[in-house]
Amino acid sequence: DINWNLPEFWEDPDLPYRSLLAVLKQSTSGLPEAIAAEYPTFLRQAMGDLQRVQATRHILDHHEPDLMLLHLGELDHEAHETGAFSLNARATVEYIDQLLAVLFSSVPDGSYVAIVSDQGFETRRHVYRPNVVLKEAELAARAEVAEGLFGVTSEDAAKLFRDRLAGDK
């Protein structure tokens, strides 16, 4: 059972990824309002890393959870948008370091903290246009591109990219 839940949740793909609307619908009743009572701007902003840290601090300070899970997602988003080691991505790492310093002041003595990453990034120095590659290969497929990632609509197209990208180290 989850006692205090403020999930990362996308209900509508047309809403911004940081939209509060879907999160608030799925949250523990009264929790967002309690957080906002302590952090007045909490409900007036997008659900970014600052709001996630505010929520985590509130829960740590008032509820003493046995397990707390927190996902800070701004670095992932920024690295997809601007590159792994871009100025913006590096600034986001600095920002997250500041947020973690604030958060760690609320972690109870005797707690264990694990910081993990969901993936790594590698910045390429060229632009890759997968739909152009598909057209040049005369494949009747389409590539869907979002946040620096792409997927294709046929197995032949997938094989083409696996073969081409395997040699692009």
Side-chain angles (χ1 to χ4, degrees):
D1 292 338
I2 299 174
N3 297 320
W4 305 284
N5 194 18
L6 195 70
E8 186 170 305
F9 189 82
W10 289 274
E11 179 176 72
D12 181 346
D14 293 329
L15 288 175
Y17 87 102
R18 293 171 48 177
S19 173
L20 273 172
L21 298 175
V23 172
L24 296 178
K25 287 181 188 177
Q26 301 296 321
S27 297
T28 300
S29 179
L31 179 60
E33 294 77 14
I35 297 165
E38 192 169 350
Y39 301 98
T41 62
F42 178 75
L43 292 176
R44 292 188 215 134
Q45 299 182 28
M47 182 57 73
D49 289 348
L50 174 61
Q51 289 69 36
R52 290 180 179 106
V53 167
Q54 290 172 337
T56 303
R57 283 196 67 183
H58 172 84
I59 292 169
L60 288 171
D61 290 345
H62 299 284
H63 300 294
E64 299 179 19
D66 293 324
L67 174 67
M68 170 66 73
L69 303 174
L70 167 65
H71 176 239
L72 299 177
E74 289 183 27
L75 178 59
D76 180 81
H77 178 76
E78 193 59 52
H80 278 295
E81 289 296 315
T82 65
F85 302 105
S86 69
L87 287 175
N88 289 348
R90 290 194 317 257
T92 303
V93 169
E94 297 277 337
Y95 175 63
I96 290 170
D97 282 349
Q98 293 171 6
L99 291 178
L100 290 175
V102 170
L103 178 60
F104 289 160
S105 69
S106 290
V107 174
D109 289 341
S111 296
Y112 293 92
V113 175
I115 299 176
V116 298
S117 174
D118 62 344
Q119 68 197 35
F121 281 91
E122 184 174 328
T123 299
R124 300 290 177 155
R125 301 273 184 238
H126 61 273
V127 174
Y128 199 76
R129 302 194 188 282
N131 282 310
V132 172
V133 172
L134 292 172
K135 185 175 180 179
E136 288 172 352
E138 299 180 354
L139 287 175
R142 189 177 82 256
E144 298 286 333
V145 181
E147 295 187 0
L149 303 174
F150 71 90
V152 292
T153 58
S154 79
E155 185 56 40
D156 288 340
K159 181 178 180 343
L160 171 73
F161 286 112
R162 278 193 298 270
D163 292 348
R164 284 186 177 209
L165 293 174
D168 185 25
K169 300 288 183 202

